[in-house]
């Protein structure tokens, strides 16, 4: 009879003993390689994102440096020359900006348009979003479908008919007319966003509040609004940025004697093509205000955008 195979490897060591030892030795090496690869990948991604962020900020930095240079230096060389000659930096342009009644008045007009248009959209959109999410009334789904359909209506379609309507009722070239136009075109998106957010609130929470005697008004103010704070803050940031940076509606409906900052800067370019010492600081100030608002509510914005992404 043939004796059974012992399975020994050369040198007297069995194959079953070699394989586990080899695996145990290979596992730390594999894990180390995976960690190194992961670290290199994450490091490369971070470097890439930093480069993209710096590239995105480059025009802003250029505008800032241009606003701190004299008109003669601006005409003589590019803004990057200031990196080699910091002595060119001066705040005289901002002094001229504050002395320019057109620019300062336009900033006030922009605030008077943006703040009411944002607040009206937030208030009306919150009421409508709660009604579509939790109140029962005839044709609710059809009304909401109509609101969603309004999202695809472009602003340009309404310019001529709304201009005629505002002219008939005395709202053309008034601040109130611009505010109403922005509010009307901002409400469909606001209702759509807030309705979907409010609908994610657990029904049991609302029912418990109703059992405690809370009416619809108290339920809305004490339960729904605090829970919907991130979505409302996100919507407010979007609406503020849209209205503040708008130029088309302001050109058509705003008062030509007190235009918003976007129109005022455009008029400065048209009337004084080389008036860079006013245009550069004015453009930078008009850009800084939305950035300040965004970073002030950055945490709420991130919470509102990510709401519902993780169950």
């Amino acid at each position: 009879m043939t004796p059974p195979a012992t399975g020994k490897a050369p040198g007297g060591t069995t194959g079953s003993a070699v394989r586990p030892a080899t695996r145990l030795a290979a596992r730390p090496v594999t894990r180390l390689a995976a960690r190194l690869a992961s670290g290199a990948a994450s490091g490369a991604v971070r470097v890439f994102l930093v480069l993209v962020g710096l590239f995105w900020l480059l025009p802003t930095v250029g505008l800032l440096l241009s606003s701190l240079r004299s008109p003669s230096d601006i005409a003589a060389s590019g803004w990057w020359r200031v990196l080699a000659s910091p002595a060119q930096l001066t705040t005289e342009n901002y002094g001229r900006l504050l002395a320019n009644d057109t620019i300062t008045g336009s900033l006030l007009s922009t605030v008077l348009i943006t703040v009411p248009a944002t607040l009206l959209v937030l208030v009306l959109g919150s009421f409508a979003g709660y009604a579509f999410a939790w109140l029962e009334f005839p044709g609710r789904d059809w009304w909401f479908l109509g609101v969603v359909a309004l999202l695809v209506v472009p602003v340009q379609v309404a310019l001529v008919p709304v201009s005629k309507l505002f002219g008939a009722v005395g709202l053309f070239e008034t601040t109130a007319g611009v505010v109403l136009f922005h509010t009307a075109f901002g409400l469909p998106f606001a209702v759509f966003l807030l309705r979907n957010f409010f609908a994610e609130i657990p029904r049991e929470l609302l029912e418990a509040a109703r059992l405690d005697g809370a009416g619809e008004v108290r339920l809305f103010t004490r339960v729904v609004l605090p829970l919907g704070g991130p979505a409302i803050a996100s919507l407010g940031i979007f609406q503020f940025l849209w209205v503040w940076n708008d130029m088309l509606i302001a050109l058509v409906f705003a008062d030509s004697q007190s235009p918003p900052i976007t129109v005022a800067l455009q008029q400065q370019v048209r009337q004084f093509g080389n008036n860079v010492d006013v245009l550069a600081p004015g453009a930078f100030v008009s850009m800084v205000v939305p950035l300040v608002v965004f970073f002030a509510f950055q945490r709420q914005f991130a919470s509102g955008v990510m709401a519902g992404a993780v169950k």
Side-chain angles (χ1 to χ4, degrees):
M1 295 178 62
T2 304
T6 59
K8 290 185 178 181
T13 306
T14 60
S16 59
V18 172
R19 293 191 188 97
T22 305
R23 292 175 182 174
L24 291 175
R27 284 177 183 175
V29 176
T30 304
R31 291 176 181 175
L32 179 61
R35 289 178 182 178
L36 291 176
S38 177
S42 61
V45 170
R46 289 178 182 177
V47 171
F48 175 74
L49 292 177
V50 169
L51 292 177
V52 170
L54 293 176
F55 183 76
W56 179 79
L57 288 175
L58 191 62
T60 304
V61 174
L63 182 61
L64 173 60
L65 296 179
S66 296
S67 68
L68 294 173
R69 302 178 73 202
S70 64
S72 58
D73 291 333
I74 295 175
S77 60
W79 60 266
W80 52 88
R81 295 290 184 179
V82 76
L83 300 177
S85 303
Q88 296 180 1
L89 297 177
T90 178
T91 58
E92 293 179 357
N93 292 342
Y94 287 92
R96 296 189 185 96
L97 177 70
L98 295 177
N100 191 312
D101 296 335
T102 301
I103 299 297
T104 55
S106 66
L107 286 172
L108 179 60
S109 299
T110 307
V111 172
L112 294 177
I113 290 172
T114 306
V115 174
T118 302
L119 292 179
L120 282 174
V121 167
L122 293 180
V123 173
L124 298 178
S126 298
F127 286 145
Y130 174 75
F132 281 117
W134 294 109
L135 297 183
E136 297 290 342
F137 55 89
R140 184 186 66 174
D141 295 336
W142 288 104
W143 282 107
F144 182 70
L145 184 61
V147 171
V148 174
L150 291 176
L151 290 171
V152 301
V153 177
V155 175
Q156 293 81 357
V157 173
L159 292 179
V160 174
V162 175
S163 298
K164 294 181 179 179
L165 176 62
F166 282 0
V169 298
L171 290 176
F172 192 74
E173 288 196 351
T174 63
T175 300
V178 182
V179 170
L180 289 177
F181 194 97
H182 280 299
T183 302
F185 273 86
L187 275 176
F189 177 73
V191 174
F192 174 76
L193 176 68
L194 294 180
R195 182 264 179 190
N196 292 338
F197 189 89
F198 292 160
E200 296 295 327
I201 298 176
R203 181 180 294 273
E204 293 78 8
L205 183 62
L206 301 181
E207 294 297 336
R210 288 192 176 96
L211 290 176
D212 289 339
E216 295 298 336
V217 176
R218 190 173 182 180
L219 187 66
F220 175 73
T221 56
R222 298 294 182 87
V223 178
V224 175
L225 283 185
L227 293 175
I232 295 174
S234 301
L235 175 64
I237 291 174
F238 278 123
Q239 181 69 9
F240 186 93
L241 296 179
W242 289 336
V243 179
W244 183 275
N245 294 320
D246 169 72
M247 184 174 179
L248 175 62
I249 299 172
L251 275 173
V252 177
F253 296 103
D255 187 0
S256 58
Q257 301 301 320
S258 56
I261 184 65
T262 52
V263 179
L265 291 175
Q266 186 268 342
Q267 291 175 350
Q268 291 286 322
V269 173
R270 183 177 58 192
Q271 295 176 2
F272 312 102
N274 56 355
N275 197 14
V276 186
D277 56 329
V278 174
L279 291 175
F284 184 76
V285 169
S286 105
M287 182 175 57
V288 162
V289 174
L291 287 177
V292 171
V293 172
F294 174 79
F295 285 113
F297 298 95
Q298 182 180 11
R299 181 176 300 178
Q300 292 83 355
F301 176 78
S303 301
V305 170
M306 295 301 296
V310 179
K311 294 295 183 181

